[in-house]
Amino acid sequence: MASYALILLQIIVLSSLAATAFSLSPYYYQNICPQALPTIKTLVEAAVYKERRMGASLLRLHFHDCFVNGCDASILLDPSPTIDSEKGALANQNSARGFEVIDEIKKEVDKICGRPVVSCADILAVAARDSVVALGGPSWKVRLGRRDSTTASRTQADIDIPSPLMDLPALINNFRNQGLNQRDLVALSGGHTIGFAQCLTFRGRIYNATNIDPSFAKERRATCPRTGGDTTLAPLDSTAARFDTAYFSSLVKQRGLLTSDQALFSGGSTDNLVNTYRLYPQVFRKDFAQSMIKMGNIKSLTGNEGQIRVNCRMVNY
């Protein structure tokens, strides 16, 4: 009987170890390459100092990566005979940017580590955090140990990356499919407190919407005509280079730039959260950090899954 109990205990312990052996950890590189994270931070800060908009671009890369088959750096893969690059997806084509910054980070990190031990997926996750911090936002302990995918899917990217034209039910469903709830939806949408959007993505709203401040619509129409100027940029909120709560204040004033932004404050179930984040910045910062950690865990490859790419733009062969 004692022997049976001992065997049962061993099975439980081994099962527990198997479940946690390849879980992500903030300390994953502590012994493997302790200089990896400081190197990423330095290079991200330099890139954001050179161009403030880059902070939003790097945050967006991580978001668009995680929503397509998990946080596996699939968004970084260039087209090839075997890769249907996500860079060609509607949400990424001619708008996803910052790839050269990730390339530079990868090169320098591999150099300082002496070999390719830091995955491109982890670089994306850390660069997103460091970008937010560089623009005055909260910090969080990024869980690390992801590995890189060997595939990409432009088709899946077109399905899974939320559209700027989505209404609230569609957004809630889109995030639910990723294991994210309404609080995550509103908190992560708050990432739009930094960055810009192209005229093509908000033209319909500024010319056709009824839930829009007339003076704001007029202001945006000045640089986004009914035809042409598709790539002309407009700030997502009034302080596009600073991570703050101006985004939520703009929604309450019906000055959300994208249809999907204003949908969060349109008489629906997320109105109260928008008001909470507008009035209590510390609550938004805390929730944003927690939701970023949660998003970073989506279908991550660990252990012997995937690979550590030598070049973030192509699969190792």
Side-chain angles (χ1 to χ4, degrees):
M1 190 71 172
S3 176
Y4 173 78
L6 181 60
I7 292 172
L8 186 61
L9 177 61
Q10 289 175 333
I11 290 173
I12 293 171
V13 170
L14 288 172
S15 297
S16 176
L17 288 172
T20 60
F22 298 127
S23 60
L24 302 180
S25 165
Y27 312 107
Y28 184 82
Y29 295 106
Q30 192 167 278
N31 295 320
I32 300 173
C33 183
Q35 287 305 308
L37 268 60
T39 300
I40 296 172
K41 182 174 185 288
T42 298
L43 292 171
V44 168
E45 287 176 344
V48 174
Y49 179 79
K50 183 179 179 181
E51 183 197 3
R52 301 282 283 182
R53 182 186 168 206
M54 186 54 69
S57 297
L58 293 175
L59 173 61
R60 187 169 181 256
L61 276 184
H62 180 46
F63 181 91
H64 282 205
D65 179 43
C66 290
F67 265 58
V68 186
N69 295 322
C71 309
D72 58 4
S74 58
I75 193 173
L76 302 178
L77 290 170
D78 284 339
S80 78
T82 58
I83 297 296
D84 184 21
S85 178
E86 292 164 22
K87 293 178 180 180
L90 290 174
N92 295 326
Q93 193 173 32
N94 300 320
S95 74
R97 59 196 298 275
F99 298 108
E100 71 287 347
V101 175
I102 300 300
D103 289 340
E104 182 186 0
I105 292 172
K106 175 64 172 169
K107 179 182 175 183
E108 291 303 313
V109 167
D110 284 356
K111 184 188 297 182
I112 204 161
C113 294
R115 64 196 193 285
V117 294
V118 182
S119 69
C120 301
D122 276 350
I123 289 174
L124 282 176
V126 176
R129 187 271 311 274
D130 292 345
S131 292
V132 168
V133 173
L135 293 174
S139 184
W140 60 92
K141 289 187 176 180
V142 180
R143 294 176 184 172
L144 302 163
R146 298 169 189 79
R147 287 170 66 85
D148 301 322
S149 69
T150 56
T151 60
S153 176
R154 181 176 58 178
T155 300
Q156 205 61 43
D158 282 332
I159 294 170
D160 290 340
I161 296 174
S163 162
L165 306 179
M166 282 183 171
D167 60 13
L168 185 59
L171 286 168
I172 290 171
N173 185 61
N174 179 277
F175 274 65
R176 184 189 298 121
N177 289 340
Q178 302 291 348
L180 301 171
N181 59 32
Q182 290 190 44
R183 200 172 191 91
D184 298 315
L185 163 62
V186 181
L188 291 173
S189 294
H192 281 184
T193 187
I194 54 176
F196 296 76
Q198 295 183 7
C199 168
L200 179 67
T201 63
F202 60 83
R203 177 182 284 120
R205 172 161 164 73
I206 62 173
Y207 285 100
N208 303 318
T210 55
N211 61 339
I212 188 168
D213 175 70
S215 63
F216 175 69
K218 182 179 179 181
E219 181 184 342
R220 292 277 66 89
R221 288 172 190 164
T223 56
C224 181
R226 285 186 181 274
T227 57
D230 286 357
T231 59
T232 302
L233 298 173
L236 284 159
D237 80 3
S238 58
T239 57
R242 187 168 70 242
F243 196 98
D244 54 23
T245 57
Y247 169 78
F248 298 108
S249 296
S250 69
L251 299 186
V252 173
K253 297 173 185 175
Q254 293 193 322
R255 295 171 69 91
L257 184 62
L258 306 177
T259 297
S260 57
D261 289 328
Q262 195 59 56
L264 302 178
F265 194 84
S266 56
S269 58
T270 54
D271 281 15
N272 287 340
L273 263 177
V274 169
N275 261 321
T276 296
Y277 291 158
R278 175 178 68 91
L279 296 171
Y280 304 100
Q282 69 276 18
V283 176
F284 167 53
R285 292 169 68 90
K286 176 174 171 288
D287 282 2
F288 181 83
Q290 290 180 343
S291 291
M292 285 296 293
I293 292 172
K294 189 173 177 181
M295 184 185 78
N297 287 340
I298 297 174
K299 299 178 188 173
S300 296
L301 302 175
T302 59
N304 294 319
E305 300 172 317
Q307 60 182 214
I308 305 294
R309 287 188 217 137
V310 175
N311 182 334
C312 288
R313 293 175 182 257
M314 63 183 67
V315 174
N316 301 342
Y317 292 105

